[in-house]
Amino acid sequence: AQSVTQLGSHVSVSEGALVLLRCNYSSSVPPYLFWYVQYPNQGLQLLLKYTSAATLVKGINGFEAEFKKSETSFHLTKPSAHMSDAAEYFCAVSDSGGGADGLTFGKGTHLIIQP
Amino acid sequence: EPEVTQTPSHQVTQMGQEVILRCVPISNHLYFYWYRQILGQKVEFLVSFYNNEISEKSEIFDDQFSVERPDGSNFTLKIRSTKLEDSAMYFCASRPNTGYNEQFFGPGTRLTVL
């Protein structure tokens, strides 16, 4: 069975500082990995996805993530935090790139941006 | 930009009552999903739906739950006899027949069971 672990339920960074949100996965097959962001009172918005085409994936709003098979990790980074990045971030995994498989989510990381 | 919509945004019901949560997926999408998020917990998969039938369901999706696509645009989740522990945010998602299982989520319905 697949699973996702997000280290740190809350991460606080200063505006302009590096953002690093950690995600480790467990999957019996090569995974498809996703990062979603949830702003207050909104749904989940896809930030980026890993589909085995490239290990470094660029997403929206300046975020990127690197797939490291040896570490079973898919950490999310952004070089310079902006106040508008404050939100809840979810890492998710799917064993299948097709079909009707549900996504398995981590518990989420609340990103706080200090002015 | 097309988006998934859900109604109502907040539903309050008494324990034992039936509720129907409604979703309008993106129009050209073929796969539909329901997830729930109990306050403070992770988002959990409930069920997926394709070609007018359930494709996958989790252990959570027991006999009190059902899904339906009553027409060409709506996708509903029915809870027959609500329990206190059904209080949660319920998200609908959809995706097209292409891509890598990237799902598009609606804003959610907050269900409160009293």
Side-chain angles (χ1 to χ4, degrees), chain A:
Chain A
Q2 56 200 358
S3 65
V4 174
T5 301
Q6 291 184 241
L7 291 176
S9 59
H10 291 77
V11 170
S12 180
V13 303
S14 298
E15 191 174 18
L18 171 72
V19 174
L20 171 60
L21 305 182
R22 300 178 186 274
C23 172
N24 289 89
Y25 70 90
S26 171
S27 177
S28 58
V29 298
Y32 295 87
L33 293 158
F34 307 85
W35 275 99
Y36 282 85
V37 60
Q38 184 181 29
Y39 298 103
N41 300 315
Q42 295 187 27
L44 301 168
Q45 180 183 5
L46 182 66
L47 268 180
L48 49 78
K49 62 182 185 287
Y50 168 74
T51 61
S52 78
T55 56
L56 183 62
V57 180
K58 295 188 183 299
I60 62 172
N61 302 337
F63 284 93
E64 61 182 37
E66 185 173 10
F67 173 72
K68 292 187 177 180
K69 183 178 179 180
S70 61
E71 299 177 8
T72 61
S73 69
F74 189 57
H75 301 333
L76 182 71
T77 60
K78 181 173 180 177
S80 177
H82 192 272
M83 295 299 291
S84 61
D85 295 326
E88 191 84 15
Y89 291 81
F90 295 93
C91 182
V93 65
S94 172
D95 275 349
S96 169
D101 290 359
L103 299 176
T104 298
F105 283 87
K107 287 188 174 183
T109 298
H110 186 63
L111 178 62
I112 301 162
I113 310 297
Q114 304 281 3

Side-chain angles (χ1 to χ4, degrees), chain B residues 18-111:
Chain B
E18 174 183 286
V19 295
I20 297 176
L21 310 183
R22 292 182 167 78
C23 168
V24 178
I26 296 173
S27 62
N28 62 342
H29 287 189
L30 300 179
Y31 293 88
F32 314 115
Y33 307 81
W34 283 101
Y35 292 81
R36 80 172 184 190
Q37 183 181 30
I38 295 172
L39 188 63
Q41 298 186 24
K42 63 173 67 177
V43 177
E44 301 172 291
F45 168 71
L46 292 178
V47 65
S48 61
F49 193 86
Y50 172 72
N51 201 26
N52 285 319
E53 61 182 22
I54 291 174
S55 293
E56 305 273 346
K57 59 182 181 179
S58 71
E59 297 174 347
I60 304 167
F61 194 85
D62 60 24
D63 290 345
Q64 69 161 343
F65 291 95
S66 62
V67 289
E68 193 177 35
R69 187 156 164 82
D71 53 42
S73 59
N74 290 283
F75 180 51
T76 62
L77 174 69
K78 181 191 289 187
I79 309 175
R80 288 191 182 80
S81 179
T82 50
K83 305 171 188 171
L84 294 176
E85 55 264 37
D86 293 328
S87 294
M89 182 73 88
Y90 289 81
F91 292 105
C92 174
S94 68
R95 76 170 189 89
N97 196 27
T98 56
Y100 295 93
N101 203 13
E102 48 194 286
Q103 298 174 20
F104 295 81
F105 284 76
T109 293
R110 180 166 297 285
L111 177 64

